[in-house]
C-alpha cells in the first residue's frame, strides 16, 4: 500500500473507551507479504473483546458471534497495538462489545492509526456449555445503556 493511498495518521486515542490490551506483533506472526496475519489480529481482538463482558458475566463465557470485523490498515512487525473496547449491549445471556485497534507505528512513535474495528458477542455459559442468564444483582450498566 503506498503512502499516497493511506489516510493521515490519527493522533488521538479514544477517551470514551477503555484500554483493555496492548501488544506488539512479532516476526513469527507475519504472512508471506510481511504483514501480520489477519487471523492473529482476530485472535487478539477476541481476547481484548472478552475483558469487559467478563465483568458482567461473572463466570464462563464463549464467543458466540463476530458481528462485524473490518481491517482498515495493515499491521506490521514492531507496531504497538492498543485495543480499546466498550459495551454496546447487555442482553439476558449475552454481551456485545465494540473493539477498536490502533497502531503506533514503529517508525512514527506517538502517532496512531486505526487498523481494525470489530463487534463481537459473548454468551454466558454454564458448566455444560449451555447459555445461562447474566446475574443482575449488582449489575451496573454503562451510562449509554442504562
Amino acid at each position: 500500500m503506498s503512502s499516497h493511498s493511506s489516510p493521515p495518521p490519527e493522533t488521538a486515542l479514544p477517551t470514551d473507551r477503555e484500554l483493555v490490551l496492548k501488544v506488539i506483533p512479532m516476526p513469527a506472526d507475519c504472512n508471506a507479504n510481511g504483514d501480520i496475519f489477519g487471523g492473529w489480529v482476530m485472535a487478539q481482538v477476541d481476547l481484548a473483546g472478552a475483558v469487559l463482558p467478563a465483568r458482567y458475566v461473572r463466570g464462563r463465557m464463549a464467543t458466540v458471534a463476530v458481528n462485524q470485523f473490518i481491517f482498515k490498515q495493515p499491521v506490521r512487525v514492531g507496531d504497538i497495538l492498543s485495543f480499546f473496547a466498550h459495551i454496546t449491549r447487555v442482553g439476558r445471556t449475552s454481551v456485545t462489545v465494540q473493539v477498536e485497534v490502533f497502531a503506533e507505528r514503529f517508525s512514527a512513535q506517538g502517532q496512531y492509526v486505526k487498523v481494525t474495528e470489530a463487534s463481537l458477542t459473548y454468551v454466558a455459559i454454564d458448566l455444560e456449555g449451555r447459555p445461562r442468564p447474566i446475574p443482575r444483582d449488582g449489575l451496573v450498566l454503562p451510562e449509554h445503556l442504562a
Side-chain angles (χ1 to χ4, degrees):
M1 189 178 289
S2 75
S3 61
H4 297 293
S5 64
S6 298
E10 297 182 28
T11 56
L13 295 174
T15 57
D16 59 342
R17 310 284 190 254
E18 185 170 341
L19 177 65
V20 293
L21 179 68
K22 282 187 93 115
V23 67
I24 301 173
M26 302 305 287
D29 306 316
C30 280
N31 61 25
N33 297 322
D35 295 324
I36 300 303
F37 280 114
W40 181 89
V41 175
M42 292 177 86
Q44 303 306 307
V45 166
D46 192 20
L47 290 170
V51 171
L52 298 183
R55 295 178 186 164
Y56 298 91
V57 170
R58 293 187 262 161
R60 290 186 67 199
M61 66 180 176
T63 309
V64 71
V66 176
N67 308 308
Q68 180 183 43
F69 210 105
I70 301 170
F71 294 101
K72 295 177 152 304
Q73 295 286 314
V75 175
R76 300 181 183 106
V77 170
D79 286 351
I80 300 169
L81 300 181
S82 298
F83 296 73
F84 291 86
H86 75 282
I87 301 292
T88 59
R89 180 183 171 279
V90 178
R92 192 179 75 75
T93 63
S94 65
V95 179
T96 301
V97 62
Q98 182 77 21
V99 179
E100 295 174 297
V101 185
F102 291 82
E104 183 177 8
R105 301 294 191 194
F106 182 77
S107 60
Q109 296 292 302
Q111 294 182 352
Y112 302 90
V113 61
K114 187 189 288 190
V115 293
T116 303
E117 61 184 61
S119 172
L120 302 98
T121 301
Y122 299 85
V123 66
I125 56 173
D126 63 19
L127 294 176
E128 286 77 40
R130 294 184 301 251
R132 65 172 171 80
I134 293 171
R136 297 296 183 190
D137 59 308
L139 182 67
V140 178
L141 294 174
E143 285 183 26
H144 65 278
L145 296 177

